[in-house]
Amino acid sequence: MEMWLNRSSTDGFILLGIFSHSLTDLVLFSAVTGVFTVALCGNGLLIFLIFTDPRLHTPMYFFLSQLSLMDLMLVCDIVPKMAVNFLSGTKFISFVGCGIQIGFFVSLVGSEGLLLGLMAYDRYVAISHPLHYPSLMNQRVCLQIAGSSWAFGILDGLIQMVAAMSLHYCGSRNVDHFFCEVPALLKRACEDTSLFDSLLFSCCVFMLLLPFSIIVASYSRILRAVLHMRSAQASRKALATCSSHLTAVSLFYGAAMFIYLRPRRYRAPSHDKT
């Protein structure tokens, strides 16, 4: 850590970002700032309501509060620094600041992905075993699910942060991104990163495919249970309870797999920024 602090006094990176000072980009920046404000207020309000209203003290809303907390921390990890760089025109981030941003980003994305996957089990129990739901999804189980999601995400973040910050960077310090992300940072390394590339890909595969397999297994059982329901109204109600979760899963895993599981030859710098 002392070595990183010493390097931060002289080293750093220039985040090229995605905005210039043209009129179009000013409008886009204003839109991003507006979305950030809405996300900040919306997630903060949701967390407040869930923890203050006893009627919302259920497993589903507890998991939603954890997802909101992860989203809140994630946008605060990226957007404020991006806004400061854009408004000040410096675009500079210190070596330690870059490492911290990497650690938080990877940890939060990993935790959110795992929690989304494990929430499929909650939906499976609610639909397939409704009478045993209170005992199967008690407070202890909910805390274990949330805690394991946080733990694995933080472990993944620490591994990638330490590995990325242990590399030597030389030449241009311009990073073609709006925040410190490992794939963009590796392009500035002046040593062989093939081992790290393999580690990064393995972590991505594990953090994406493990929860995705839980989702597939859980929803296969849910579909089987729905098909055996005699009441059409009960079937529609069961599917309705899963629709919001399936939408969130599709958006999260679709984007994550497109960005991180494509072969390198099909990647373009502009894809990593979207």
Side-chain angles (χ1 to χ4, degrees):
M1 186 65 184
E2 184 178 353
M3 179 185 67
W4 292 359
L5 291 174
N6 290 336
R7 291 179 64 178
S8 68
S9 61
T10 56
D11 296 344
F13 300 97
I14 304 298
L15 300 175
L16 299 181
I18 54 176
F19 300 118
S20 64
H21 288 277
S22 66
L23 180 60
T24 303
D25 284 343
L26 286 173
V27 172
L28 290 174
F29 175 76
S30 300
V32 170
T33 305
V35 172
F36 169 72
T37 304
V38 171
L40 205 64
C41 296
N43 284 306
L45 180 61
L46 184 60
I47 294 170
F48 175 77
L49 289 176
I50 290 174
F51 279 94
T52 55
D53 192 341
R55 293 171 298 178
L56 302 180
H57 292 175
T58 62
M60 182 181 70
Y61 284 105
F62 171 72
F63 294 139
L64 284 177
S65 71
Q66 295 299 300
L67 286 176
S68 293
L69 179 60
M70 293 170 185
D71 283 336
L72 191 64
M73 295 175 66
L74 186 58
V75 295
C76 289
D77 179 48
I78 296 173
V79 179
K81 179 60 178 174
M82 181 190 70
V84 168
N85 284 354
F86 174 77
L87 295 174
S88 65
T90 59
K91 299 186 177 182
F92 178 80
I93 186 169
S94 67
F95 187 80
V96 170
C98 188
I100 292 173
Q101 196 172 63
I102 287 174
F104 272 100
F105 175 76
V106 175
S107 297
L108 292 167
V109 170
S111 298
E112 188 167 350
L114 284 171
L115 186 57
L116 275 173
L118 292 171
M119 283 176 67
Y121 173 74
D122 171 67
R123 295 296 83 205
Y124 158 69
V125 175
I127 293 173
S128 300
H129 305 284
L131 298 179
H132 298 91
Y133 183 76
S135 59
L136 292 175
M137 293 300 298
N138 54 47
Q139 185 180 21
R140 179 169 170 269
V141 173
C142 292
L143 290 174
Q144 287 177 340
I145 290 175
S148 61
S149 300
W150 281 102
F152 277 106
I154 291 172
L155 178 62
D156 186 30
L158 286 174
I159 291 173
Q160 293 198 36
M161 180 186 70
V162 171
M165 294 297 98
S166 298
L167 296 173
H168 295 282
Y169 299 93
C170 56
S172 173
R173 292 305 178 97
N174 293 339
V175 178
D176 191 16
H177 217 317
F178 58 93
F179 72 101
C180 279
E181 191 183 26
V182 174
L185 207 62
L186 289 182
K187 299 174 184 177
R188 303 273 70 89
C190 54
E191 58 184 279
D192 181 24
T193 61
S194 57
L195 180 61
F196 186 83
D197 285 333
S198 300
L199 172 65
L200 178 63
F201 186 78
S202 299
C203 288
C204 290
V205 169
F206 176 78
M207 298 300 289
L208 288 174
L209 295 189
L210 174 63
F212 189 73
S213 64
I214 297 173
I215 293 170
V216 172
S218 297
Y219 275 103
S220 298
R221 292 177 177 271
I222 288 173
L223 183 60
R224 185 186 305 171
V226 169
L227 292 176
H228 284 83
M229 290 180 179
R230 297 180 179 179
S231 169
Q233 183 178 359
S235 300
R236 287 194 297 269
K237 185 177 179 180
L239 292 175
T241 61
C242 300
S243 59
S244 58
H245 179 253
L246 279 174
T247 302
V249 165
S250 300
L251 293 173
F252 182 90
Y253 284 97
M257 289 180 178
F258 174 77
I259 293 173
Y260 296 111
L261 295 186
R262 286 175 300 142
R264 174 173 289 187
R265 63 180 179 273
Y266 295 122
R267 294 181 184 176
S270 59
H271 291 163
D272 294 332
K273 296 181 183 181
T274 55

